[in-house]
Each structure stands twice: as C-alpha cells, then as structure tokens.
Amino acid sequence: MGARVLSTTHGSHRGAFAGVDWVLFLVVGTIWGSSFLLMAIGLEVFRPGLVTWLRVLFGASALWVAPGARAPIERRDRARLLLLSITWVVIPFTLFPLAQGSVNSAIAGMLNGAAPIFTAVIATILLRRPPGSRQLIGIPLGFVGVAAIALSAAGQGPSQVGGVVLILVATICYGIAFNVATPLQQRYGSLPVMARILTIGAVLTAPLGLVSISGSRFAWSALAATGAVGVLGTGVAFVLMGRLVGRVGPTRASIVGYLIPVVALGLGVLLRHDEVGSFAVAGVALVILGAYLTSRREIAEVGSSRSKSATVVP
C-alpha cells in the first residue's frame, strides 16, 4: 500500500519464470498483500496517526540502509519530491489507518487493487491522449468492480461507507503520485526517490504521530506489525522487487500487483475472520481483470524504454 513504482535497469533474463523468480514473486506479493493485516494489528492498540508515523519512520530507515539510496538528486526536483511525498506518503498513509477503523483489512486490500485503474485515468487526463482499446475495456470493468466492493461494504453499516471513501481518496492519490514519480524514477532510480520522500513524509506526519501517542497503548505485537509494514513492505520488498524486475523485465514482474488484493483477502478472512460477501469477491475479480487490461498499454510503453522501467507495487 504505500509504494507502487519501482525502477531498475534491464537485466539479461527475459524467459519464463525460473524457480528463484517464483520465490521472489511470492515473497514480494505476500509482503505487500499482508500490509493491510499488519496495519489492522497495529491499530488494535495504536491510534491511526501513530501507525502512520511509525510506518513511515521504519520505511525510511530501511531504505537508507539499502545500497544506492544515497545517490544525489538535483535541486530542481526538490519541489516535485515534496509533492510526491504528500500524494504518495502523507495523505494515503494517513487515510488507510483511519479507514481501517471501520473497514476490515480484506476490503481495504481489495480496494487498493484499483490503483492501476486510477493511474491510467489520471495519465489520460494529464497527457490529454485517448485511452487504448484495452483501457477502454479495463477502466469501466475496474470501476464496476470497485462499485461492487464498495456496495458490499456499505451494506454492513454507515461507518463502512466513510472508510470506503477514505480508501478511494487514498488510491486516487496513488494514481497522481505514480504519474509524478515516473520521470523522477527514470532519472534517478527508485531507491533515492523513495528514501527521500519517506524522510519528508516522516517530518510531515510527525505532529500527528506525536499527538497520537497519548491516546495509544503499547503492545509488542502492534509495534512488530507496524514495523513490519515499514521495514518489509517499503524496504525489503522494494529491494526484492528490483531483483525480480532485473531478471524477468517489468512486464512479467508487474503481475505481482494482481497478487496483492488476493493475499489481502485471504489473510483477512483466514486470520481475522473478516466478513466479505460474494458480491465483494466478484468485485475484486473485476478489479484485477480491469487493472490487468488497463495497465497493459502503460507497461508496454515503459518496458520499451532503454533506460529505466517501472512496475506495479502497492
């Protein structure tokens, strides 16, 4: 949930997935898909603002350890980094914990699967170009799926509606951020950009986090879960995803994005007994199909670049 575009140079392996590729695929998809469950555990004793702040702090710390994170970024791009931090980190990372106070982790993860759809819509508006034939099918399918998930959640009470709205706003912010991030990550790579926007985000979310300490209780399980969202979801998974993209290319690696809502749904139902109706399950299937069709043209364009490539992460 917190990152989506990862840049890397092209590797030499472009054939079918080898054994190590499947391991990387499953590990990355499981880490990102479990983020919603881990946040739900953190929210059991921490207030939402504290979960947000700790997640950003842990994530920034993990990325600064990674090789390549300290590569310089030109002064002229600092304003874009600030915008990116607000739309990719501050707003969505704040809204998701707030939403999960009323919406279960399974619903949150399923709705997050619509990020590629909003990204394509915003790209179409910004670039003023008509969508491709696959997008003309995928975008409406995805929105129908989102509507099905939202209606299923709304049927469980008025508070669920507010949570769904917050998640959709967060996902739209991801769509804006991913379009802003693409040229930066093509120029500098993913790690330097992510390390800096998370550091900015840690500063901007600090007041909310500090205020939230007084209303929170301490539990090692909550601290471990929140730390895992930051360290694993933003740190380790980014490094592993870079390895996967380098081995199989961005187009094949991008299928990780379609595993995330499935993992979120499965973990939420199995481990937290989240209630998810058949209407919502059908909705997530439409979201995944819509995201797949919508992202094909964008991925193909990025994959043809000779310098850097982008792929989907939560």
Side-chain angles (χ1 to χ4, degrees):
M1 286 177 12
R4 172 183 182 275
V5 180
L6 185 65
S7 300
T8 187
T9 54
H10 285 282
S12 58
H13 170 44
R14 289 292 182 273
F17 272 29
V20 66
D21 302 324
W22 283 114
V23 171
L24 290 170
F25 165 77
L26 292 173
V27 170
V28 172
T30 300
I31 289 175
W32 281 332
S34 63
S35 296
F36 308 95
L37 171 67
L38 293 171
M39 280 194 294
I41 295 173
L43 289 167
E44 291 176 353
V45 296
F46 294 158
R47 293 186 64 184
L50 184 57
V51 170
T52 296
W53 189 41
L54 289 176
R55 175 189 179 185
V56 178
L57 281 175
F58 280 120
S61 300
L63 281 187
W64 279 114
V65 173
R70 294 178 179 82
I73 291 180
E74 296 178 15
R75 184 187 298 269
R76 63 189 174 92
D77 286 319
R78 290 181 180 176
R80 188 170 290 183
L81 286 175
L82 176 60
L83 173 62
L84 195 54
S85 181
I86 292 171
T87 56
W88 196 347
V89 176
V90 176
I91 295 177
F93 282 21
T94 299
L95 293 182
F96 265 102
L98 287 172
Q100 287 192 234
S102 56
V103 174
N104 62 49
S105 62
I107 293 293
M110 288 190 292
L111 287 172
N112 185 75
I117 298 167
F118 288 115
T119 302
V121 171
I122 292 170
T124 298
I125 295 172
L126 293 178
L127 299 177
R128 297 181 180 179
R129 69 182 180 196
S133 57
R134 284 179 174 149
Q135 291 177 317
L136 285 173
I137 300 173
I139 289 173
L141 272 179
F143 280 123
V144 170
V146 169
I149 298 170
L151 289 173
S152 176
Q156 300 177 27
S159 63
Q160 298 266 2
V161 177
V164 168
V165 171
L166 291 178
I167 293 173
L168 291 179
V169 171
T171 308
I172 292 171
C173 285
Y174 282 151
I176 296 171
F178 304 157
N179 282 285
V180 174
T182 298
L184 283 178
Q185 296 198 88
Q186 288 175 341
R187 190 176 304 130
Y188 303 110
S190 179
L191 289 177
V193 172
M194 282 301 301
R196 284 164 174 80
I197 69 171
L198 283 169
T199 301
I200 297 170
V203 174
L204 295 179
T205 58
L208 181 61
L210 292 172
V211 168
S212 301
I213 292 176
S214 61
S216 302
R217 294 179 291 109
F218 178 79
W220 284 110
S221 60
L223 182 62
T226 306
V229 175
V231 174
L232 296 179
T234 308
V236 175
F238 254 80
V239 175
L240 295 179
M241 189 66 180
R243 178 75 180 276
L244 181 62
V245 172
R247 287 179 55 83
V248 304
T251 301
R252 290 186 178 91
S254 69
I255 63 174
V256 168
Y258 312 128
L259 178 62
I260 294 168
V262 177
V263 172
L265 171 62
L267 291 177
V269 172
L270 291 176
L271 299 183
R272 293 187 65 84
H273 307 292
D274 290 341
E275 294 185 5
V276 179
S278 57
F279 209 46
V281 174
V284 75
L286 289 176
V287 166
I288 294 171
L289 177 59
Y292 171 78
L293 292 172
T294 300
S295 64
R296 294 305 295 170
R297 179 182 174 186
E298 297 298 320
I299 291 172
E301 289 176 355
V302 175
S304 65
S305 171
R306 301 289 298 177
S307 56
K308 301 285 184 180
S309 298
T311 189
V312 178
V313 300

